[in-house]
Coordinates of all heavy atoms in Angstrom, one line a residue:
M1 N -43.0 -19.9 -83.9 CA -42.9 -21.3 -83.5 C -44.4 -21.8 -83.4 O -45.2 -21.1 -82.8 CB -42.2 -21.5 -82.2 CG -42.1 -23.0 -81.8 SD -41.1 -23.3 -80.3 CE -39.5 -22.7 -80.9
P2 N -44.7 -23.0 -83.9 CA -46.1 -23.5 -83.8 C -46.4 -23.7 -82.3 O -45.6 -23.9 -81.4 CB -46.0 -24.9 -84.5 CG -44.6 -25.2 -84.7 CD -43.8 -23.9 -84.5
P3 N -47.7 -23.7 -82.0 CA -48.2 -23.9 -80.6 C -47.8 -25.2 -80.0 O -47.6 -25.3 -78.8 CB -49.7 -23.7 -80.6 CG -50.1 -23.7 -82.0 CD -48.9 -23.5 -82.9
V4 N -47.7 -26.2 -80.8 CA -47.3 -27.6 -80.3 C -46.3 -28.1 -81.3 O -46.5 -28.1 -82.5 CB -48.5 -28.5 -80.3 CG1 -48.1 -29.9 -79.9 CG2 -49.6 -28.0 -79.4
H5 N -45.1 -28.5 -80.8 CA -44.1 -29.2 -81.6 C -43.5 -30.3 -80.8 O -43.5 -30.4 -79.6 CB -43.2 -28.2 -82.3 CG -42.2 -27.6 -81.3 ND1 -42.5 -26.5 -80.6 CD2 -40.9 -27.9 -81.0 CE1 -41.4 -26.2 -79.9 NE2 -40.5 -27.0 -80.1
M6 N -42.8 -31.2 -81.6 CA -42.3 -32.4 -81.0 C -40.8 -32.5 -81.3 O -40.4 -32.2 -82.4 CB -43.0 -33.7 -81.4 CG -44.4 -33.7 -81.0 SD -45.2 -35.2 -81.7 CE -46.7 -34.5 -82.3
E7 N -40.0 -33.0 -80.3 CA -38.6 -33.4 -80.6 C -38.6 -34.9 -80.8 O -39.3 -35.6 -80.0 CB -37.7 -33.1 -79.4 CG -37.5 -31.6 -79.1 CD -36.5 -31.5 -77.9 OE1 -35.5 -32.2 -77.8 OE2 -36.9 -30.6 -77.1
A8 N -37.9 -35.4 -81.8 CA -37.9 -36.8 -82.0 C -36.5 -37.3 -82.5 O -35.8 -36.5 -83.0 CB -39.0 -37.1 -83.1
R9 N -36.3 -38.5 -82.3 CA -35.0 -39.2 -82.8 C -35.4 -40.1 -83.9 O -36.4 -40.9 -83.8 CB -34.4 -39.9 -81.7 CG -33.8 -39.1 -80.6 CD -33.1 -39.9 -79.5 NE -32.8 -39.0 -78.4 CZ -33.5 -38.7 -77.4 NH1 -34.7 -39.2 -77.3 NH2 -33.1 -37.9 -76.4
V10 N -34.7 -40.1 -85.0 CA -34.9 -41.1 -86.1 C -34.4 -42.4 -85.7 O -33.3 -42.6 -85.3 CB -34.2 -40.6 -87.4 CG1 -34.4 -41.6 -88.5 CG2 -34.7 -39.3 -87.8
T11 N -35.3 -43.4 -85.7 CA -35.0 -44.8 -85.3 C -34.7 -45.7 -86.6 O -34.1 -46.7 -86.5 CB -36.0 -45.4 -84.4 OG1 -37.3 -45.4 -85.1 CG2 -36.1 -44.7 -83.1
A12 N -35.3 -45.3 -87.7 CA -35.1 -46.1 -88.9 C -35.5 -45.3 -90.1 O -36.3 -44.4 -90.0 CB -36.0 -47.4 -88.9
L13 N -34.8 -45.6 -91.2 CA -35.1 -44.9 -92.5 C -35.6 -46.0 -93.5 O -35.0 -47.1 -93.5 CB -33.9 -44.2 -93.1 CG -33.5 -42.9 -92.3 CD1 -32.2 -42.4 -92.8 CD2 -34.6 -41.9 -92.3
H14 N -36.6 -45.7 -94.3 CA -37.1 -46.7 -95.2 C -37.1 -46.1 -96.6 O -37.6 -45.0 -96.8 CB -38.5 -47.1 -94.8 CG -38.6 -47.6 -93.5 ND1 -38.3 -48.9 -93.1 CD2 -39.0 -47.0 -92.3 CE1 -38.5 -49.1 -91.8 NE2 -39.0 -47.9 -91.3
Q15 N -36.5 -46.8 -97.6 CA -36.5 -46.3 -99.0 C -37.9 -46.6 -99.5 O -38.4 -47.7 -99.4 CB -35.4 -47.1 -99.8 CG -35.3 -46.7 -101.2 CD -34.7 -45.4 -101.4 OE1 -33.7 -45.0 -100.7 NE2 -35.2 -44.6 -102.3
L16 N -38.4 -45.5 -100.2 CA -39.7 -45.7 -100.8 C -39.5 -46.0 -102.3 O -38.7 -45.3 -102.9 CB -40.5 -44.4 -100.6 CG -40.8 -44.0 -99.2 CD1 -41.6 -42.7 -99.1 CD2 -41.6 -45.1 -98.5
N17 N -40.3 -46.9 -102.8 CA -40.1 -47.3 -104.2 C -41.4 -46.9 -105.0 O -42.4 -46.6 -104.4 CB -39.9 -48.8 -104.3 CG -38.6 -49.2 -103.6 OD1 -37.6 -48.6 -103.7 ND2 -38.7 -50.2 -102.7
G18 N -41.3 -47.0 -106.2 CA -42.5 -46.8 -107.1 C -42.0 -46.0 -108.3 O -41.1 -45.2 -108.3
E19 N -42.7 -46.3 -109.4 CA -42.3 -45.7 -110.7 C -42.5 -44.2 -110.7 O -41.6 -43.5 -111.1 CB -43.2 -46.3 -111.8 CG -42.8 -46.0 -113.2 CD -43.6 -46.7 -114.2 OE1 -43.8 -47.9 -114.1 OE2 -44.1 -46.0 -115.1
K20 N -43.6 -43.7 -110.2 CA -43.8 -42.2 -110.1 C -42.8 -41.5 -109.2 O -42.3 -40.5 -109.5 CB -45.2 -41.9 -109.7 CG -46.3 -42.3 -110.7 CD -47.6 -41.9 -110.3 CE -48.7 -42.2 -111.3 NZ -50.0 -41.8 -110.9
L21 N -42.6 -42.1 -108.0 CA -41.6 -41.5 -107.1 C -40.2 -41.5 -107.6 O -39.5 -40.6 -107.4 CB -41.7 -42.3 -105.8 CG -40.9 -41.7 -104.6 CD1 -41.4 -40.3 -104.3 CD2 -41.1 -42.5 -103.3
S22 N -39.8 -42.6 -108.3 CA -38.5 -42.7 -109.0 C -38.3 -41.5 -110.0 O -37.2 -41.0 -110.1 CB -38.3 -44.0 -109.7 OG -38.3 -45.0 -108.7
A23 N -39.3 -41.1 -110.6 CA -39.2 -40.0 -111.6 C -38.9 -38.7 -110.9 O -38.3 -37.8 -111.5 CB -40.6 -39.8 -112.3
F24 N -39.2 -38.6 -109.6 CA -38.8 -37.4 -108.8 C -37.5 -37.6 -108.1 O -37.1 -36.8 -107.2 CB -39.9 -37.1 -107.8 CG -41.2 -36.6 -108.5 CD1 -42.3 -37.4 -108.6 CD2 -41.2 -35.3 -109.1 CE1 -43.4 -37.0 -109.2 CE2 -42.4 -34.9 -109.7 CZ -43.5 -35.7 -109.8
G25 N -36.8 -38.7 -108.3 CA -35.5 -38.9 -107.6 C -35.6 -39.8 -106.4 O -34.7 -40.0 -105.6
G26 N -36.8 -40.4 -106.1 CA -37.0 -41.4 -105.0 C -37.4 -40.6 -103.8 O -37.7 -39.5 -103.8
G27 N -37.5 -41.4 -102.7 CA -38.0 -40.8 -101.4 C -37.6 -41.7 -100.2 O -37.3 -42.9 -100.4
M28 N -37.7 -41.1 -99.1 CA -37.5 -41.9 -97.8 C -38.6 -41.6 -96.8 O -39.2 -40.5 -96.9 CB -36.2 -41.4 -97.2 CG -34.9 -41.5 -98.1 SD -34.4 -43.2 -98.2 CE -33.7 -43.5 -96.6
A29 N -38.9 -42.6 -96.0 CA -39.8 -42.4 -94.9 C -39.0 -42.6 -93.6 O -38.1 -43.5 -93.5 CB -40.9 -43.4 -94.9
A30 N -39.2 -41.7 -92.6 CA -38.5 -41.8 -91.4 C -39.4 -42.3 -90.3 O -40.5 -41.9 -90.1 CB -37.9 -40.4 -91.0
E31 N -38.9 -43.3 -89.5 CA -39.6 -43.8 -88.3 C -38.9 -43.1 -87.2 O -37.7 -43.0 -87.1 CB -39.3 -45.3 -88.2 CG -40.5 -46.1 -87.8 CD -40.1 -47.6 -87.8 OE1 -39.9 -48.1 -88.9 OE2 -40.2 -48.2 -86.7
V32 N -39.7 -42.5 -86.3 CA -39.2 -41.7 -85.2 C -39.7 -42.1 -83.8 O -40.8 -42.7 -83.7 CB -39.5 -40.2 -85.4 CG1 -38.8 -39.7 -86.7 CG2 -40.9 -39.9 -85.4
D33 N -38.9 -41.7 -82.8 CA -39.3 -41.9 -81.4 C -39.4 -40.5 -80.8 O -38.5 -39.8 -80.8 CB -38.2 -42.7 -80.7 CG -38.7 -43.7 -79.7 OD1 -39.9 -43.8 -79.5 OD2 -37.8 -44.4 -79.2
V34 N -40.6 -40.1 -80.4 CA -40.8 -38.8 -79.9 C -40.2 -38.7 -78.5 O -40.6 -39.5 -77.6 CB -42.3 -38.4 -79.8 CG1 -42.5 -37.1 -79.2 CG2 -42.9 -38.4 -81.3
A35 N -39.3 -37.8 -78.3 CA -38.6 -37.6 -77.0 C -39.3 -36.6 -76.1 O -39.5 -36.8 -74.9 CB -37.2 -37.2 -77.2
R36 N -39.8 -35.5 -76.7 CA -40.5 -34.4 -75.9 C -41.5 -33.8 -76.8 O -41.4 -33.7 -78.0 CB -39.5 -33.3 -75.5 CG -38.5 -33.8 -74.4 CD -37.7 -32.5 -74.0 NE -36.7 -33.0 -73.0 CZ -35.4 -33.2 -73.4 NH1 -35.0 -33.0 -74.6 NH2 -34.6 -33.6 -72.5
V37 N -42.6 -33.3 -76.1 CA -43.6 -32.5 -76.8 C -43.6 -31.1 -76.1 O -43.7 -31.1 -74.9 CB -45.0 -33.2 -76.6 CG1 -46.1 -32.3 -77.3 CG2 -45.0 -34.6 -77.3
H38 N -43.5 -30.1 -76.9 CA -43.5 -28.7 -76.4 C -44.8 -28.1 -76.7 O -45.3 -28.1 -77.8 CB -42.4 -27.9 -77.0 CG -41.0 -28.5 -76.7 ND1 -40.3 -28.1 -75.6 CD2 -40.3 -29.4 -77.4 CE1 -39.1 -28.8 -75.6 NE2 -39.1 -29.6 -76.7
V39 N -45.5 -27.5 -75.7 CA -46.8 -27.0 -75.9 C -46.9 -25.5 -75.3 O -46.4 -25.3 -74.2 CB -47.9 -27.8 -75.2 CG1 -49.3 -27.2 -75.4 CG2 -47.8 -29.3 -75.6
A40 N -47.4 -24.6 -76.1 CA -47.5 -23.2 -75.7 C -48.5 -23.2 -74.5 O -49.5 -23.9 -74.5 CB -48.0 -22.3 -76.8
E41 N -48.3 -22.3 -73.6 CA -49.2 -22.2 -72.4 C -50.6 -22.0 -72.8 O -51.5 -22.6 -72.1 CB -48.7 -21.0 -71.5 CG -47.4 -21.2 -70.8 CD -47.5 -22.3 -69.7 OE1 -48.5 -22.4 -69.1 OE2 -46.4 -22.9 -69.5
D42 N -51.0 -21.2 -73.8 CA -52.4 -21.0 -74.1 C -53.0 -22.2 -74.8 O -54.2 -22.2 -75.1 CB -52.5 -19.8 -75.0 CG -51.8 -19.8 -76.3 OD1 -50.8 -20.5 -76.4 OD2 -52.2 -19.1 -77.2
C43 N -52.3 -23.3 -75.0 CA -52.8 -24.5 -75.6 C -53.0 -25.6 -74.6 O -53.4 -26.7 -74.9 CB -51.9 -25.0 -76.7 SG -52.0 -24.1 -78.2
I44 N -52.7 -25.3 -73.3 CA -52.8 -26.3 -72.3 C -54.2 -26.2 -71.6 O -54.6 -25.1 -71.2 CB -51.7 -26.2 -71.2 CG1 -50.4 -26.4 -71.9 CG2 -51.9 -27.2 -70.1 CD1 -49.1 -26.2 -71.1
L45 N -54.8 -27.4 -71.4 CA -56.2 -27.4 -70.8 C -56.1 -28.3 -69.5 O -55.5 -29.4 -69.6 CB -57.1 -28.1 -71.8 CG -58.6 -28.2 -71.4 CD1 -59.2 -26.8 -71.3 CD2 -59.3 -29.0 -72.5
Q46 N -56.5 -27.8 -68.4 CA -56.5 -28.6 -67.1 C -55.1 -29.1 -66.8 O -55.0 -30.2 -66.3 CB -57.5 -29.7 -67.2 CG -59.0 -29.3 -67.4 CD -59.9 -30.4 -67.5 OE1 -59.5 -31.6 -67.3 NE2 -61.2 -30.1 -67.8
D47 N -54.1 -28.3 -67.0 CA -52.7 -28.6 -66.7 C -52.1 -29.8 -67.3 O -51.0 -30.1 -67.0 CB -52.6 -28.7 -65.1 CG -52.9 -27.3 -64.4 OD1 -52.6 -26.3 -65.0 OD2 -53.5 -27.4 -63.4
K48 N -52.8 -30.6 -68.1 CA -52.2 -31.8 -68.7 C -52.7 -32.2 -70.0 O -52.2 -33.2 -70.6 CB -52.3 -32.9 -67.7 CG -53.7 -33.4 -67.4 CD -53.6 -34.6 -66.5 CE -55.0 -35.2 -66.1 NZ -54.9 -36.3 -65.3
Y49 N -53.6 -31.5 -70.6 CA -54.2 -31.8 -71.9 C -53.9 -30.7 -72.9 O -53.8 -29.6 -72.6 CB -55.7 -32.0 -71.8 CG -56.1 -33.1 -70.9 CD1 -56.6 -32.8 -69.7 CD2 -56.0 -34.5 -71.3 CE1 -57.0 -33.8 -68.8 CE2 -56.3 -35.5 -70.4 CZ -56.9 -35.2 -69.2 OH -57.2 -36.2 -68.3
I50 N -53.8 -31.1 -74.2 CA -53.7 -30.1 -75.3 C -55.1 -29.8 -75.6 O -55.9 -30.6 -75.9 CB -52.9 -30.7 -76.5 CG1 -51.5 -30.9 -76.1 CG2 -53.0 -29.7 -77.6 CD1 -50.6 -31.6 -77.2
N51 N -55.4 -28.5 -75.6 CA -56.7 -28.0 -75.9 C -56.9 -27.9 -77.5 O -56.3 -27.1 -78.2 CB -56.9 -26.6 -75.4 CG -58.3 -26.0 -75.6 OD1 -59.1 -26.6 -76.3 ND2 -58.6 -24.9 -75.0
P52 N -57.7 -28.8 -78.0 CA -57.9 -28.9 -79.5 C -58.5 -27.6 -80.1 O -58.3 -27.4 -81.3 CB -58.8 -30.1 -79.7 CG -59.5 -30.3 -78.4 CD -58.6 -29.8 -77.4
A53 N -59.2 -26.8 -79.3 CA -59.8 -25.6 -79.8 C -58.7 -24.5 -80.1 O -59.0 -23.7 -80.9 CB -60.8 -25.1 -78.8
T54 N -57.6 -24.6 -79.5 CA -56.5 -23.6 -79.7 C -55.4 -24.1 -80.5 O -54.5 -23.3 -80.9 CB -55.9 -23.1 -78.3 OG1 -55.4 -24.3 -77.7 CG2 -56.9 -22.5 -77.4
W55 N -55.4 -25.4 -80.9 CA -54.3 -26.0 -81.7 C -54.9 -26.4 -83.1 O -55.9 -27.1 -83.1 CB -53.7 -27.2 -81.0 CG -52.7 -27.8 -81.8 CD1 -51.6 -27.2 -82.4 CD2 -52.5 -29.3 -82.0 NE1 -50.8 -28.2 -83.0 CE2 -51.3 -29.4 -82.7 CE3 -53.2 -30.4 -81.5 CZ2 -50.8 -30.7 -83.1 CZ3 -52.7 -31.6 -81.9 CH2 -51.6 -31.8 -82.7
S56 N -54.4 -25.9 -84.1 CA -54.8 -26.2 -85.5 C -53.7 -26.9 -86.3 O -53.0 -26.2 -87.0 CB -55.4 -25.0 -86.1 OG -55.9 -25.3 -87.4
P57 N -53.5 -28.2 -86.1 CA -52.4 -28.8 -86.9 C -52.7 -28.9 -88.4 O -53.9 -28.9 -88.8 CB -52.4 -30.2 -86.2 CG -53.8 -30.5 -85.8 CD -54.3 -29.1 -85.4
L58 N -51.7 -28.9 -89.1 CA -51.8 -29.1 -90.6 C -51.6 -30.6 -90.8 O -50.7 -31.3 -90.3 CB -50.7 -28.4 -91.3 CG -50.7 -28.5 -92.8 CD1 -52.0 -27.9 -93.4 CD2 -49.5 -27.8 -93.4
I59 N -52.6 -31.2 -91.4 CA -52.6 -32.7 -91.6 C -52.6 -33.0 -93.1 O -53.3 -32.4 -93.9 CB -53.9 -33.3 -91.1 CG1 -54.0 -33.0 -89.6 CG2 -54.0 -34.8 -91.3 CD1 -55.4 -33.2 -89.0
Y60 N -51.7 -33.9 -93.5 CA -51.5 -34.4 -94.9 C -52.4 -35.6 -95.0 O -52.1 -36.6 -94.4 CB -50.1 -34.6 -95.2 CG -49.9 -35.0 -96.7 CD1 -50.0 -34.1 -97.7 CD2 -49.6 -36.3 -97.0 CE1 -49.8 -34.4 -99.0 CE2 -49.4 -36.7 -98.3 CZ -49.5 -35.8 -99.3 OH -49.3 -36.1 -100.6
N61 N -53.4 -35.6 -95.8 CA -54.3 -36.7 -95.9 C -54.6 -37.0 -97.4 O -55.3 -36.2 -98.1 CB -55.6 -36.4 -95.2 CG -56.6 -37.6 -95.2 OD1 -56.2 -38.7 -95.5 ND2 -57.8 -37.3 -94.8
F62 N -54.1 -38.1 -97.9 CA -54.3 -38.5 -99.3 C -54.1 -37.3 -100.3 O -55.0 -36.9 -101.1 CB -55.7 -39.1 -99.5 CG -55.9 -40.3 -98.7 CD1 -56.7 -40.3 -97.6 CD2 -55.3 -41.5 -99.1 CE1 -56.8 -41.5 -96.9 CE2 -55.5 -42.7 -98.4 CZ -56.2 -42.7 -97.3
Q63 N -52.9 -36.8 -100.3 CA -52.4 -35.7 -101.2 C -53.1 -34.4 -101.0 O -53.1 -33.5 -101.8 CB -52.6 -36.1 -102.7 CG -51.8 -37.4 -103.0 CD -51.9 -37.8 -104.4 OE1 -52.7 -37.2 -105.2 NE2 -51.2 -38.8 -104.8
H64 N -53.7 -34.2 -99.8 CA -54.4 -32.9 -99.5 C -53.9 -32.5 -98.1 O -53.8 -33.3 -97.2 CB -55.9 -33.0 -99.5 CG -56.4 -33.4 -100.9 ND1 -56.7 -32.4 -101.8 CD2 -56.8 -34.6 -101.4 CE1 -57.2 -33.0 -102.9 NE2 -57.2 -34.3 -102.7
Y65 N -53.7 -31.2 -98.0 CA -53.4 -30.6 -96.7 C -54.7 -30.1 -96.1 O -55.4 -29.3 -96.8 CB -52.4 -29.5 -96.7 CG -51.0 -30.0 -97.1 CD1 -50.5 -29.9 -98.4 CD2 -50.2 -30.5 -96.1 CE1 -49.3 -30.4 -98.7 CE2 -48.9 -31.0 -96.4 CZ -48.5 -30.9 -97.7 OH -47.2 -31.4 -98.0
V66 N -55.0 -30.5 -94.9 CA -56.3 -30.0 -94.3 C -56.0 -29.6 -92.8 O -55.0 -30.0 -92.2 CB -57.4 -31.1 -94.3 CG1 -57.8 -31.4 -95.8 CG2 -56.9 -32.4 -93.6
G67 N -56.9 -28.9 -92.3 CA -56.9 -28.5 -90.8 C -58.0 -29.2 -90.1 O -58.8 -30.0 -90.8
L68 N -58.1 -29.0 -88.9 CA -59.2 -29.6 -88.1 C -60.5 -28.8 -88.3 O -60.4 -27.6 -88.7 CB -58.8 -29.6 -86.6 CG -57.6 -30.5 -86.2 CD1 -57.4 -30.4 -84.7 CD2 -57.9 -31.9 -86.6
A69 N -61.6 -29.5 -88.1 CA -62.9 -28.8 -88.2 C -63.0 -27.6 -87.2 O -62.4 -27.7 -86.2 CB -64.0 -29.8 -88.0
D70 N -63.8 -26.6 -87.6 CA -64.0 -25.5 -86.7 C -64.7 -25.9 -85.4 O -64.6 -25.2 -84.4 CB -64.7 -24.4 -87.4 CG -63.9 -23.7 -88.5 OD1 -62.6 -23.8 -88.4 OD2 -64.5 -23.0 -89.3
Q71 N -65.5 -26.9 -85.5 CA -66.2 -27.4 -84.3 C -65.9 -28.8 -84.0 O -65.6 -29.6 -84.9 CB -67.7 -27.2 -84.5 CG -68.3 -28.0 -85.6 CD -69.7 -27.7 -85.9 OE1 -70.1 -26.5 -86.0 NE2 -70.5 -28.7 -86.0
E72 N -66.1 -29.2 -82.8 CA -65.8 -30.6 -82.3 C -67.0 -31.4 -82.8 O -68.1 -31.1 -82.7 CB -65.8 -30.6 -80.8 CG -65.5 -32.0 -80.3 CD -65.4 -32.0 -78.8 OE1 -64.7 -31.1 -78.2 OE2 -65.9 -33.0 -78.2
L73 N -66.6 -32.6 -83.4 CA -67.6 -33.5 -83.9 C -68.1 -34.6 -83.0 O -69.1 -35.2 -83.2 CB -67.1 -34.1 -85.2 CG -66.8 -33.1 -86.3 CD1 -66.2 -33.8 -87.5 CD2 -68.0 -32.3 -86.8
G74 N -67.3 -34.8 -81.9 CA -67.6 -35.8 -81.0 C -66.3 -36.2 -80.2 O -65.2 -35.7 -80.4
K75 N -66.5 -37.1 -79.3 CA -65.4 -37.6 -78.4 C -65.4 -39.1 -78.4 O -66.5 -39.7 -78.5 CB -65.5 -37.1 -77.0 CG -65.4 -35.6 -76.9 CD -65.5 -35.2 -75.4 CE -65.5 -33.7 -75.3 NZ -65.6 -33.2 -73.9
T76 N -64.3 -39.7 -78.1 CA -64.2 -41.2 -77.9 C -64.5 -41.4 -76.4 O -64.5 -40.5 -75.6 CB -62.9 -41.8 -78.2 OG1 -61.9 -41.3 -77.3 CG2 -62.5 -41.4 -79.7
F77 N -64.7 -42.7 -76.0 CA -64.9 -43.0 -74.6 C -63.7 -42.7 -73.8 O -63.8 -42.6 -72.5 CB -65.3 -44.5 -74.5 CG -64.2 -45.5 -74.8 CD1 -63.4 -46.0 -73.7 CD2 -63.9 -45.8 -76.1 CE1 -62.4 -46.9 -74.0 CE2 -62.9 -46.7 -76.3 CZ -62.1 -47.2 -75.3
R78 N -62.5 -42.5 -74.4 CA -61.3 -42.2 -73.6 C -61.1 -40.8 -73.3 O -60.3 -40.4 -72.5 CB -60.1 -42.7 -74.4 CG -60.0 -44.2 -74.5 CD -58.8 -44.6 -75.4 NE -58.9 -46.0 -75.7 CZ -58.1 -46.9 -75.3 NH1 -57.1 -46.6 -74.5 NH2 -58.2 -48.2 -75.7
A79 N -61.9 -39.9 -73.9 CA -61.8 -38.5 -73.7 C -62.2 -38.1 -72.2 O -63.3 -38.4 -71.8 CB -62.6 -37.7 -74.7
E80 N -61.2 -37.5 -71.5 CA -61.5 -37.1 -70.1 C -61.8 -35.6 -70.0 O -62.6 -35.2 -69.2 CB -60.3 -37.4 -69.3 CG -60.0 -38.9 -69.1 CD -58.8 -39.1 -68.3 OE1 -58.5 -38.3 -67.4 OE2 -58.1 -40.1 -68.5
A81 N -61.2 -34.8 -70.9 CA -61.4 -33.4 -70.8 C -62.4 -32.8 -71.7 O -62.7 -33.4 -72.7 CB -60.0 -32.7 -71.0

């Protein structure tokens, strides 16, 4: 099981259109409402944050799957931990 996963309920389905997508049989996009987030103990930081150094999510970005950088590049003003 991944170190962080979410339970969600589908709230809406959207038909995706386009000539290239139709050639593959079409597609759907799901809008979801996250109900719960499950985090492995070793990914918890200060009892309430997900430690980004121990979690490596797979991200789909413009037709490429990527992971997070090996080192932190910076923080926003909202970062507390």
Side-chain angles (χ1 to χ4, degrees):
M1 181 175 300
V4 178
H5 70 276
M6 296 177 226
E7 287 182 45
R9 292 180 187 88
V10 175
T11 57
L13 292 173
H14 305 280
Q15 182 70 43
L16 300 177
N17 299 314
E19 193 174 311
K20 288 182 181 180
L21 190 57
S22 292
F24 292 106
M28 301 287 287
E31 220 174 297
V32 300
D33 220 356
V34 175
R36 288 187 187 98
V37 177
H38 300 271
V39 182
E41 290 291 326
D42 59 335
C43 287
I44 297 174
L45 183 66
Q46 297 177 6
D47 295 325
K48 64 179 180 176
Y49 299 104
I50 294 175
N51 184 351
T54 59
W55 179 45
S56 183
L58 181 63
I59 301 166
Y60 182 74
N61 185 14
F62 296 105
Q63 300 181 356
H64 298 274
Y65 290 98
V66 296
L68 296 178
D70 288 340
Q71 65 187 44
E72 182 178 318
L73 301 175
K75 296 179 182 179
T76 69
F77 70 95
R78 294 176 190 247
E80 294 178 29

